[in-house]
Amino acid sequence: MSPHLPPVSPSVTAQLVAALTPRLRKRLDAGVAKVAGRPVVRDGDIVRIAVDDDTDLELHAPGGVVTSAGAIRCGCLLAPDCLHRAAAASAAPVAEPTDPAVGEPRPTDPQRESPQVSTSVSASAVLPAPAPVTADEPVPESATPAQCTAAAALHEAAAAVLEAGVEGAGAVLQAELLRAAHTARLAGLPRAAGRAVAVVTALRAARDHDPAHRLGDLTAALRDVLVLTHRLPVATGPELAGLRGTVRRPYTPDGSLRLYGLFAEPVLTTTGYAGTVTWTADAAGRLYTVPDVAPGGVERATGSADRAVRIGDTSLTPRELSRAGLAVSGATVSPTGRLGAGAGVRAVRAPGVSWHAEPLDRLWSVPVAEQISRALAGDLDAPKAKDTDGTHRTHHTRNTHDTGERTARGGRDRRDGEGGRDGQDLLFLDVTLIGTVREAAGECLLADCDGLTVRLAAAHDDPALPHRENLRLLALLASARGARLRVIARLTPAPLPRTLLLAASRPTDPAAHVDLGLDRLRRADLPTERRSDTPATPATPAAPATPAAPVTPATPGRPVPRDGPRSVPTVHPATDADEAPVHLLRRRVHQAASGGRRVLAFPGSRQSEVALLRRHGLGTAGELLTALHATAAERTRDPFGRLLPADIGRFATAWLGAAVYTEEVDRALCAAAWGADPPGLASR
């Protein structure tokens, strides 16, 4: 996937690939690689690709998106039925006409939304529960025949992708999935269509070896598509409405608002969107967002923080708004808390307050366990999330990131602030930095939060964003235990207490804060007595120096001693042995999404893994693992003894059961690690 090409509508890619002859389809993947490596020249809304010395491709993208097959033109002799047009569409990012958290278009402000304020996009990692039905929307009794047919076709296309794995799911299978997604959207299934597009986006990132690719994103998107299409034919009433998604979620009047800037975070998605989302809160603690996200790359993500966004009669940059306030009259708000900027909105700049002053201080007064329960319930209970925007999810957004999510990689998703987030997965924590620990994705901070050892990880790994650099500087504070910070983070469901760090109080001035994805900390921002040229001791097994008093190593999920010598604790990285053995099943779920059915068809140590799961009381996990391997290896023969194609439908069903089970167990383990009430199991 070339980030230099404009996003292309899914229906355009499906149409161009379908028009190819069987011979050209076999050459499509090679054509995609060739087009992706050719020089690109942008001239306004036209993007030109020099295929060779005699052939040029043109992509006409008014508004930044290619929306018709005729907008891709080729100068070769075989045009318009040439390979080049289909290859260009397959190499370009997939356009996101929807809010990927729920598969819906961005909310529409009835008073004409300002063109400067556009929807943010993310990738959700967890399927939200059914969305609520608006008062003016009739409740369907059952799915229509067209919806059932579209769901079956989408389920079959997703199962084919799962059967093939990343390497086998080339441009042709991707186009088949996009075609099924387009048909589903036309049949009134925008939610499933949006998640199918997320599958294609994740596949392209994986095949291009994009550093931003996460196998969990692909696994979650595949699971979501299969869940939605599996449940839809038998669903009725409000459940069906939630599974379908909503085509339009308009802004609604919300009267007068007094808002206080909270923080801002960058958005950088794999679907070609970038920008900034600014979070604000009202006097009651309800969260509102002001997004400025549009087609673009990392340059837009870093530059939009200082780009003025017009709201009513005033304009503020995200950096300014995150520290100031707004007085708004005639406000219009989307169901996820996004502020409209229509002609009837009036707004003036107002003073902001620090995180330690009312009304923002009340966000940190909510007990941590209650915040965790809210965040986990927000992913499972979409009606609650959308009815209580301000006290959080997207996700999304979910989800984001669960920012298609996804905000600067932090979201699910989800998420992809993943575009549709309403803030329920945000955590407001007072922490004491105590050390660092090395994970597979890099080093993260360890902090004491109400007696729990919490991991604070970077929200995005792109070197153009300052997340990782800021985390390294904050690690210097951890070298002197007792450094306290007030932070905003996004929950990462995991067996250990873990979050993605988004913003923190400034170490030298607790009344100010730093947006860790936009602002760059300097050594001068660290307290003089805590400044050091050597970062905190990494968390690797080592013999600690003999202390004046015993030092207890920090153990994830357990209280950290508050007295004793001020030295960085030695922390051993978590291993599979430290986790619940459900990781054995999760590993196979991810292997199937990556390598396809054949990876699980080979003989292996399945019996020992099943026995281990059963010894730990996870009998259901053992049965699911057995079924997963059995359906992967299952092949029948025709009357002449020839092997028949594998039943990919049976394998997809077995894989889906294992994927949903591990998702639910992970959430229960996450709640237990934080000392929160376990979330209710989502209705599947």
Side-chain angles (χ1 to χ4, degrees):
M1 181 171 63
S2 175
H4 304 294
L5 298 179
V8 176
S9 174
S11 60
V12 172
T13 304
Q15 178 181 344
L16 292 176
V17 174
L20 295 178
T21 64
R23 181 179 64 85
L24 290 180
R25 286 193 178 197
K26 294 179 181 179
R27 298 169 50 192
L28 182 56
D29 286 333
V32 171
K34 179 180 179 180
V35 168
R38 301 301 297 169
V40 175
V41 177
R42 185 180 293 270
D43 181 13
D45 291 336
I46 301 176
V47 175
R48 294 184 176 88
I49 307 171
V51 179
D52 53 42
D53 293 340
D54 301 320
T55 305
D56 285 338
L57 269 170
E58 286 188 355
L59 286 78
H60 294 251
V65 178
V66 177
T67 57
S68 68
I72 302 180
R73 304 166 188 172
C74 181
C76 75
L77 295 177
L78 296 179
D81 297 325
C82 62
L83 178 68
H84 302 134
R85 298 174 69 220
S90 300
V94 183
E96 286 284 1
T98 66
D99 185 346
V102 289
E104 301 164 5
R106 64 174 178 160
T108 302
D109 190 336
Q111 301 182 28
R112 185 185 56 81
E113 185 179 5
S114 166
Q116 289 182 302
V117 181
S118 61
T119 185
S120 64
V121 182
S122 68
S124 168
V126 172
L127 175 68
V133 182
T134 56
D136 57 349
E137 183 178 355
V139 177
E141 292 301 324
S142 60
T144 66
Q147 289 175 341
C148 291
T149 301
L154 189 55
H155 190 282
E156 182 178 352
V161 167
L162 176 63
E163 199 271 344
V166 170
E167 291 304 318
V172 174
L173 276 183
Q174 293 171 26
E176 291 298 327
L177 185 56
L178 290 177
R179 173 177 289 278
H182 181 62
T183 302
R185 178 170 299 283
L186 295 178
L189 304 177
R191 193 179 189 188
R195 297 307 290 148
V197 170
V199 171
V200 174
T201 298
L203 280 174
R204 293 183 178 180
R207 291 172 62 87
D208 293 342
H209 306 289
D210 187 341
H213 167 67
R214 296 293 183 273
L215 181 56
D217 294 344
L218 173 59
T219 303
L222 267 173
R223 182 192 64 233
D224 292 355
V225 174
L226 292 172
V227 166
L228 288 165
T229 54
H230 174 76
R231 292 172 58 191
L232 188 132
V234 296
T236 59
E239 181 193 10
L240 175 60
L243 294 174
R244 291 185 315 163
T246 309
V247 175
R248 183 177 296 274
R249 301 171 63 201
Y251 286 82
T252 57
D254 203 16
S256 298
L257 299 173
R258 174 63 169 94
L259 302 178
Y260 302 86
L262 191 57
F263 77 104
E265 60 174 328
V267 175
L268 183 60
T269 78
T270 56
T271 54
Y273 289 81
T276 304
V277 171
T278 309
W279 293 84
T280 65
D282 65 9
R286 185 185 181 198
L287 301 184
Y288 296 81
T289 58
V290 179
D292 177 19
V293 181
V298 67
E299 297 81 7
R300 194 179 196 284
T302 56
S304 62
D306 297 308
R307 176 201 301 268
V309 178
R310 187 169 184 80
I311 307 171
D313 307 313
T314 188
S315 60
L316 293 170
T317 68
R319 200 185 303 276
E320 293 171 337
L321 180 56
S322 68
R323 293 164 175 83
L326 278 177
V328 186
S329 62
T332 56
V333 183
S334 80
T336 54
R338 185 185 294 115
L339 283 177
V345 177
R346 297 288 181 267
V348 295
R349 181 170 181 164
V353 299
S354 78
W355 288 357
H356 293 270
E358 289 294 338
L360 299 184
D361 181 65
R362 70 181 59 186
L363 296 171
W364 279 265
S365 66
V366 179
V368 174
E370 184 177 329
Q371 294 189 49
I372 298 300
S373 296
R374 178 194 68 200
L376 292 174
D379 281 329
L380 297 175
D381 185 4
K384 178 184 293 185
K386 292 167 185 171
D387 290 341
T388 60
D389 287 359
T391 36
H392 176 93
R393 173 200 112 79
T394 183
H395 132 267
H396 236 96
T397 220
R398 181 115 102 312
N399 357 308
T400 249
H401 212 37
D402 260 239
T403 167
E405 163 165 148
R406 195 178 200 127
T407 58
R409 255 345 266 184
R412 276 211 167 247
D413 126 193
R414 77 235 324 276
R415 284 143 298 54
D416 315 25
E418 305 177 299
R421 288 186 184 272
D422 57 16
Q424 279 190 243
D425 59 352
L426 294 182
L427 302 180
F428 303 88
L429 309 174
D430 287 303
V431 301
T432 301
L433 300 183
I434 57 175
T436 60
V437 66
R438 188 170 297 281
E439 297 181 334
E443 194 173 77
C444 65
L445 295 175
L446 288 176
D448 173 26
C449 178
D450 287 352
L452 288 175
T453 302
V454 178
R455 298 179 179 217
L456 305 174
H460 204 295
D461 291 329
D462 193 297
L465 299 175
H467 287 287
R468 184 65 63 183
E469 180 183 339
N470 286 335
L471 197 73
R472 282 195 292 267
L473 278 175
L474 289 177
L476 300 180
L477 285 176
S479 63
R481 289 187 60 197
R484 291 189 59 80
L485 291 176
R486 176 161 277 193
V487 303
I488 300 176
R490 179 165 286 121
L491 176 65
T492 300
L496 300 172
R498 190 174 186 277
T499 66
L500 301 174
L501 198 55
L502 302 173
S505 58
R506 191 174 293 276
T508 54
D509 182 9
H513 76 269
V514 178
D515 297 326
L516 297 174
L518 302 174
D519 305 324
R520 293 187 182 273
L521 281 170
R522 308 295 179 190
R523 286 181 178 268
D525 294 317
L526 304 182
T528 305
E529 64 274 13
R530 287 176 183 158
R531 235 178 269 167
S532 170
D533 293 332
T534 305
T537 303
T540 55
T546 304
V551 178
T552 304
T555 302
R558 295 184 181 176
V560 176
R562 298 182 181 275
D563 43 331
R566 291 186 177 273
S567 59
V568 180
T570 299
V571 181
H572 297 267
T575 64
D576 285 344
D578 300 321
E579 300 180 7
V582 73
H583 72 273
L584 298 173
L585 180 60
R586 184 190 309 112
R587 181 186 303 160
R588 301 307 178 195
V589 168
H590 285 191
Q591 283 180 342
S594 176
R597 176 191 57 80
R598 294 172 182 81
V599 172
L600 300 187
F602 297 123
S605 57
R606 68 187 69 169
Q607 295 304 323
S608 61
E609 292 178 348
V610 170
L612 179 59
L613 288 168
R614 288 174 176 165
R615 282 200 304 272
H616 284 79
L618 296 172
T620 300
E623 294 176 6
L624 290 170
L625 183 57
T626 300
L628 189 60
H629 281 291
T631 55
E634 188 178 69
R635 297 290 297 275
T636 58
R637 296 180 181 272
D638 65 12
F640 298 99
R642 294 171 298 192
L643 280 174
L644 295 174
D647 187 342
I648 63 175
R650 279 175 53 82
F651 175 69
T653 300
W655 182 88
L656 180 58
V660 171
Y661 176 88
T662 55
E663 174 197 3
E664 301 293 359
V665 172
D666 282 347
R667 292 184 175 282
L669 292 174
C670 177
W674 286 90
D677 294 332
L681 294 181
S683 174
R684 292 294 187 226

